[in-house]
Amino acid sequence: METIQYKKLKFPQHGDSRGHLVVVEGGKDVPFDIKRMFYIYGSDKGVVRGRHANRKSEFVLINVKGTSKVKIDTGKKVEVVSLDRPHEGIYLSRMVWKEMYDFSEDAVLLVLSNEHYDPEEYIRDYEQFLYEVNQKDV
Ligand code: TYD
C-alpha cells in the first residue's frame, strides 16, 4: 500500500455571531499527537522558507491569517498548494521536501508537528534528500 505523503485537511468550524473558532485536535483532526507548534510571520513576498525535508517530523501547515504557498516535492512528484483559509491545512509526511513562499504581508503560517525540534533530523541539502528518498524505494 502506498503511504500518504501529503493530504489537504479541513478543520471543524464553530462560527456564530461572535466570530469564528476552529478546532484542531491531535490524533483526530491531524493524524498525529501534537508535540510542537511554531508559527511564521513577517516573511516578505520574495522569501522562500523551508527548503528541507525531515527524517522524523511530520507537519500540518495552516495559514491562520493571510496567504502563502507551499511547494511539496516527494522526489517523484512536485505539487504547489495554496494555503489561504484559516480552517484548512496541509499534512506533510516524513521525507518530503517543502518550500513555503509567496507570503502575503499579513501572513501567519501555523505549523504543528509530531516531534520536538531536533536539527539532526533535518535534511537541508536537496541532493542528499533525493539520495535518501530513493534509498527507501530500493
Ligand atoms: P528554519 O528551520 O530555518 O525555519 P523554516 O525552515 O521553517 O523557515 O528555522 C529557523 C530558526 O528557528 C533556526 O535557527 C532553527 C530555529 N527553530 C527552532 O529552534 N525550533 C523549531 O521548532 C524550528 C522549526 C526552528
Side-chain angles (χ1 to χ4, degrees):
M1 200 180 76
E2 205 183 322
T3 51
I4 292 171
Q5 291 177 301
Y6 57 94
K7 184 178 186 304
K8 290 179 193 172
L9 303 173
K10 274 194 183 168
F11 306 117
Q13 277 180 297
H14 301 273
D16 58 30
S17 58
R18 298 169 299 164
H20 300 283
L21 189 154
V22 177
V23 181
V24 183
E25 290 198 46
K28 284 171 81 177
D29 304 301
V30 300
F32 51 73
D33 288 333
I34 300 164
K35 268 199 193 164
R36 173 167 57 131
M37 70 85 90
F38 54 94
Y39 44 91
I40 293 167
Y41 61 96
S43 291
D44 290 337
K45 197 146 192 83
V47 163
V48 182
R49 302 203 61 122
R51 281 193 169 136
H52 49 60
N54 294 73
R55 298 185 181 98
K56 291 196 314 198
S57 294
E58 300 165 50
F59 296 99
V60 167
L61 275 52
I62 309 165
N63 229 121
V64 292
K65 189 170 167 65
T67 60
S68 66
K69 292 194 179 86
V70 57
K71 183 167 106 176
I72 305 155
D73 182 345
T74 65
K76 291 207 166 65
K77 188 176 153 196
V78 177
E79 192 172 333
V80 173
V81 174
S82 291
L83 299 168
D84 50 13
R85 292 183 175 181
H87 63 287
E88 291 183 6
I90 182 111
Y91 164 76
L92 305 176
S93 76
R94 301 170 177 87
M95 293 307 284
V96 295
W97 186 266
K98 51 211 160 289
E99 299 184 2
M100 295 83 85
Y101 63 101
D102 216 3
F103 293 91
S104 65
E105 212 177 300
D106 60 347
V108 182
L109 179 61
L110 177 71
V111 184
L112 308 172
S113 179
N114 65 323
E115 294 284 348
H116 290 140
Y117 183 63
D118 171 11
E120 298 299 312
E121 63 101 16
Y122 278 67
I123 305 171
R124 294 184 179 272
D125 180 273
Y126 186 68
E127 295 305 317
Q128 178 67 21
F129 161 68
L130 286 181
Y131 172 75
E132 290 190 31
V133 88
N134 290 323
Q135 286 284 104
K136 278 185 14 166
D137 294 339
V138 175

